[in-house]
Amino acid sequence: MLPDVLAAGPVELRRWRPSDLEPLLEAVAASLPELRRWMAWAQTMPGQAEQLEVLRAGEAAFDAGAEWNFLLFAPGDGTVVGGAGLHPRAGPESIEIGYWVRSDRTGRGFATAAAGALVDAAFAHLGGVDRVEIRMDRANRASAAVPPKLGFRLVGHEAREILAPGHTGEGLIWALDRAS
């Protein structure tokens, strides 16, 4: 089981809680044009009831050990500056990291710090996980800048469904093995 809170240098990762609804919606609203380019879930602004159900489902998945979603909080003022998570969609013995950063807080190392903390947590707390992957559309240069900073290597390309306006249909697959 992963801890509820992960320290990550310039940010703190805290597991999703329904009580974080308002600060999360504020962060999404502040970032919607950029999120819309890359995230299928951000094609329209989520409503309160819809997002509350997402948070509740995420909380239940965390408790069940099925998926681990976190919000990124800025130190000091406690502002939600993004989100990140570990998702079991990469295959057996693998886990995938996803992340996003609030548009007015990019370029501060938050995504790199969060992804690094999730790599450490996956290898420390998820038995059977020997590989962590990060996948993104090849056009998402900001997201693709993160994996090499953490020692990931580009291991392949994949055809991807186009689900957002920025998507090209070609994805990058980055991987970091436990032995690395």
Side-chain angles (χ1 to χ4, degrees):
M1 181 63 87
L2 264 69
D4 291 354
V5 177
L6 301 172
V11 292
E12 181 178 77
L13 282 71
R14 296 184 211 154
R15 68 179 281 185
W16 282 5
R17 298 279 188 194
S19 59
D20 294 318
L21 175 64
E22 291 302 323
L24 172 58
L25 287 173
E26 178 186 329
V28 170
S31 307
L32 196 60
E34 181 66 19
L35 289 171
R36 188 175 286 136
R37 288 186 65 211
W38 308 114
M39 306 291 193
W41 59 264
Q43 297 311 296
T44 59
M45 180 64 193
Q48 283 193 329
E50 173 189 3
Q51 191 62 51
L52 184 58
E53 284 308 308
V54 169
L55 289 170
R56 286 181 178 146
E59 185 175 48
F62 195 108
D63 289 340
E67 188 168 44
W68 302 269
N69 288 295
F70 294 86
L71 293 176
L72 283 58
F73 287 86
D77 67 7
T79 302
V80 171
V81 296
L86 291 167
H87 313 286
R89 54 186 177 223
E93 301 174 359
S94 295
I95 195 97
E96 184 178 339
I97 293 177
Y99 47 82
W100 64 274
V101 173
R102 185 178 168 137
S103 296
D104 62 357
R105 302 292 179 103
T106 60
R108 300 179 191 188
F110 295 158
T112 303
L118 289 172
V119 166
D120 293 345
F123 288 148
H125 299 285
L126 300 179
V129 170
D130 291 324
R131 173 180 257 195
V132 177
E133 295 183 359
I134 299 176
R135 297 169 183 239
M136 77 281 300
D137 191 274
R138 71 172 169 81
N140 190 339
R141 295 183 193 277
S143 190
V146 171
K149 294 176 188 173
L150 298 170
F152 282 73
R153 67 190 191 297
L154 183 62
V155 297
H157 296 79
E158 65 182 351
R160 296 175 61 116
E161 188 175 356
I162 295 176
L163 299 172
H167 289 180
T168 64
E170 182 184 351
L172 303 176
I173 304 168
W174 298 85
L176 182 66
D177 295 321
R178 183 183 294 274
S180 297

